[in-house]
Amino acid sequence: MTCIVGIAEGGKVYIGGDSAGVGGYSLTVRADKKVFVNGDFVMGFTTSFRMGQLLHHAFTPPKRHPDTDIDKFMVTDFINAVRDCLKSGGYAGRQNETESGGTFLVGYSGRLFRIDGDYQVGEAVDGFDAVGCGDDIARGALFANPAGKPQDRLRVALEAAERFSAGVRAPFHFEERT
């Protein structure tokens, strides 16, 4: 349970996240942040704090060769490195011969990507996205406020998600990357 929001605008990616840690009916406001910068990437995670800790502290992002298309790089080199990291950290799951990870947003090279639990890489045409239990609320707030500054839009989206979702809590944290 959480809300991670992101915007790609003007060659930068902005990501914000809440601080809720939820298990069943219990909620803890966590001191460790769900958004961070790792090398050339800005990320924000949902699904599991363990997954986020691995992506932040154990993951070594691959370098993209300038001749390699960004989409190809993300769905091959980047995802393969994520899979290796999550497997070696004991997080990746396997059921019926299908490997699974978790859901997170990634900003890279001015673009915002959504990584889902089956490791698919998506990119919304809207230039913004959200994940977690407050994602629909946050996306609606981002859609309804297209003209504000990116950081202000992210804050409003997170505030809306906190107001209308039991699994989202301040304080909110923000990172950006070109």
Side-chain angles (χ1 to χ4, degrees), residues 96-113:
N96 299 327
E97 298 305 310
T98 301
E99 190 178 311
S100 62
T103 304
F104 56 101
L105 295 181
V106 180
Y108 174 70
S109 194
R111 295 171 62 183
L112 177 66
F113 300 94

Side-chain angles (χ1 to χ4, degrees), residues 99-172:
E99 190 178 311
S100 62
T103 304
F104 56 101
L105 295 181
V106 180
Y108 174 70
S109 194
R111 295 171 62 183
L112 177 66
F113 300 94
R114 174 188 174 132
I115 312 302
D116 282 305
D118 63 355
Y119 298 110
Q120 72 165 291
V121 178
E123 184 176 18
V125 298
D126 298 303
F128 61 81
D129 209 344
V131 294
C133 66
D135 63 348
D136 288 339
I137 300 161
R139 273 195 301 274
L142 290 169
F143 178 81
N145 182 16
K149 293 180 182 176
Q151 299 92 334
D152 295 338
R153 292 177 65 207
L154 292 178
R155 182 171 302 286
V156 168
L158 288 167
E159 288 171 350
E162 180 183 36
R163 173 74 174 160
F164 297 106
S165 175
V168 180
R169 288 294 180 279
F172 305 127

